[in-house]
Amino acid sequence: QMPFDRLVLAVDEWAGRTGRTDVFAQIGEGGEAPKHIGFVRTATPPEYDRLVDQADLMVSHAGTGVMLTALTHQKPILVMARRADLRETRNDHQRATIDRFRARSGIYAAADERELVAQLDQGDFGSGSGISPFASDELLRTVRAFIDN
């Protein structure tokens, strides 16, 4: 992924201002290093799963994969879309992703850094809702029927 300094630095500044020492981030390659939070550029899959399991809240870009991870781990997640006009992504598909997932329990969305920080200050996040990490029987039947035809 491309760096998402706007998100990382907003969370970093929030953690510094509030004295939070329990914030940890995976920031990807090439981005600016935070000053107040622990971080890795890239976590291994087992390390990432461990970090997710330990988290009370995930804060992330609005990628489908990370939202599905939050749902399968039953963690609340606060997301902010990357913006193409700021060269954080190639297009604005993450806005559509937020619109699709917004109604789901445990998924919170921030329009920008100010709203992200305001939601972190408020700290009113319920528990995350869960989904199975496996496809439903109904989906499997539908895919099989499609393939057979």
Side-chain angles (χ1 to χ4, degrees):
Q1 287 290 338
M2 303 158 103
F4 196 14
D5 289 341
R6 191 165 54 97
L7 173 80
V8 172
L9 297 178
V11 172
D12 186 49
E13 290 172 17
W14 172 81
R17 177 177 54 79
T18 60
R20 294 291 298 258
T21 59
D22 58 344
V23 180
F24 192 84
Q26 174 179 261
I27 66 169
E29 299 301 324
E32 190 170 333
K35 296 175 179 61
H36 305 286
I37 62 176
F39 73 95
V40 295
R41 296 272 174 197
T42 305
T44 64
E47 178 71 5
Y48 182 79
D49 282 340
R50 186 184 65 75
L51 291 167
V52 170
D53 285 338
Q54 291 176 348
D56 294 322
L57 171 70
M58 295 174 66
V59 179
S60 178
H61 70 128
T64 304
V66 73
M67 285 192 266
L68 291 174
T69 297
L71 290 170
T72 58
H73 288 262
Q74 298 183 346
K75 300 294 180 174
I77 186 168
L78 173 59
V79 296
M80 185 172 76
R82 293 174 182 263
R83 291 179 34 192
D85 64 323
L86 298 176
R87 295 185 178 166
E88 296 166 339
T89 186
R90 291 171 197 81
N91 59 48
D92 288 323
H93 69 280
Q94 288 192 358
R95 291 180 189 191
T97 302
I98 286 175
D99 290 342
R100 177 70 177 107
F101 280 84
R102 166 181 311 261
R104 190 125 175 113
S105 174
I107 296 182
Y108 305 88
D112 57 29
E113 307 92 310
R114 288 181 300 278
E115 189 176 328
L116 182 94
V117 169
Q119 288 191 44
L120 289 171
D121 280 338
Q122 196 173 40
D124 188 23
F125 302 100
S127 62
S129 64
I131 61 170
S132 172
F134 305 104
S136 69
D137 289 339
E138 179 184 354
L139 175 61
L140 292 173
R141 280 191 302 274
T142 302
V143 171
R144 283 187 185 114
F146 176 80
I147 292 170
D148 289 343
N149 292 328

